[in-house]
Amino acid sequence: MTLRNTFSIPTNPATFHAFQQAAVPIFVAKGTLYGIPALSLTNLSPKTTKWNGLVLICETAATKGPGATANRNEFQPDYSGDIGMIIEDFLMNNPNVTAADRLTFHIHPMGGAKGVLPVPTSTVVGKVTYMEPLAHYFGFTDTVTGKRAKPKGVSFVELRYVISLLPPTSVDDCHNTIFLNKNKKKIQFSSADEGKKGWYFGRYVNKNGDFGPWCAMFSAGII
């Protein structure tokens, strides 16, 4: 079995701020070395600027208050999600990432404490939401419980996909992979993909790297 990694992003706003202050400059400085697309960094840059501005407002005596805190907290999941996508897509299992940078990104092997984890037997029902042009956001529910909560021990949803006008014959025709660890994450497309469709298969991956069954194919147009 291939060793797989996982990662964690702090949710406490102050801890998250320190995390992004350390991680994002590495994205920029080593983007080419680590294979991070320039478009991903370009899209992240205004969000970094906005987040730092919201944090500054919260820390300035003349402007801090409940409203400023609420604005910061409301924006954090969006910004955190984009950082998480870069780590998942390009860094999590990238052999070029140095040990020191893995620590900064909070990347570590799956597993940890030894224990028997069940291999997932249920799978996901995928849903695509449109929140911005040329992007698909994803939500998942479990086929057994009908709830958003993942089964015990599950760390990610692995999503295989292909961009085309016609559907693939099977998951084997889908050569793009992304690992999602939150209900709402996105895939960003280019303008050349407009008018095509994203065709998707998803499955659970537990903390030991064991896979569940693939879900039924689902799709959405790229607009």
Side-chain angles (χ1 to χ4, degrees):
M1 181 178 65
T2 302
L3 179 64
R4 293 184 178 275
N5 294 319
T6 185
F7 74 98
S8 58
I9 294 181
T11 56
N12 175 272
T15 309
F16 169 74
H17 182 55
F19 171 82
Q20 68 88 29
Q21 281 184 310
V24 173
I26 297 175
F27 293 173
V28 176
K30 298 184 179 180
T32 300
L33 175 64
Y34 288 167
I36 304 172
L39 180 61
S40 295
L41 298 177
T42 299
N43 291 339
L44 186 67
S45 180
K47 293 190 176 184
T48 301
T49 301
K50 180 176 179 178
W51 169 262
N52 289 331
L54 291 171
V55 170
L56 181 62
I57 291 172
C58 290
E59 294 175 347
T60 302
T63 55
K64 67 180 181 180
T69 300
N71 288 336
R72 179 201 63 189
N73 293 351
E74 182 179 2
F75 182 62
Q76 182 178 333
D78 181 30
Y79 180 43
S80 177
D82 279 10
I83 291 175
M85 277 196 300
I86 289 175
I87 296 175
E88 286 178 358
D89 290 354
F90 310 111
L91 305 174
M92 188 169 64
N93 294 300
N94 186 337
N96 293 324
V97 176
T98 66
D101 288 348
R102 286 180 182 275
L103 289 175
T104 300
F105 302 147
H106 293 191
I107 295 172
H108 53 85
M110 284 185 177
K114 301 301 180 182
V116 177
L117 289 175
V119 175
T121 56
S122 61
T123 188
V124 297
V125 176
K127 179 182 179 181
V128 174
T129 302
Y130 297 98
M131 300 178 67
E132 60 181 290
L134 298 176
H136 286 171
Y137 283 75
F138 299 92
F140 300 100
T141 55
D142 185 84
T143 52
V144 172
T145 65
K147 298 179 179 179
R148 294 181 180 179
K150 298 186 291 289
K152 178 182 178 181
V154 165
S155 190
F156 293 99
V157 172
E158 179 186 6
L159 203 63
R160 294 264 187 95
Y161 68 98
V162 65
I163 302 166
S164 67
L165 293 172
L166 299 175
T169 57
S170 73
V171 68
D172 294 330
D173 294 330
C174 299
H175 303 299
N176 300 302
T177 301
I178 184 173
F179 290 90
L180 309 179
N181 66 351
K182 292 184 179 179
N183 282 340
K184 282 193 175 179
K185 299 299 291 292
K186 72 176 181 179
I187 292 177
Q188 191 76 49
F189 305 101
S190 70
S191 57
D193 299 321
E194 189 172 3
K196 300 177 183 178
K197 278 189 171 184
W199 306 86
Y200 303 101
F201 292 87
R203 64 180 177 181
Y204 289 128
V205 185
N206 73 11
K207 294 179 181 179
N208 289 338
D210 299 317
F211 301 106
W214 289 110
C215 73
M217 184 176 67
F218 63 102
S219 67
I222 300 171
I223 58 177

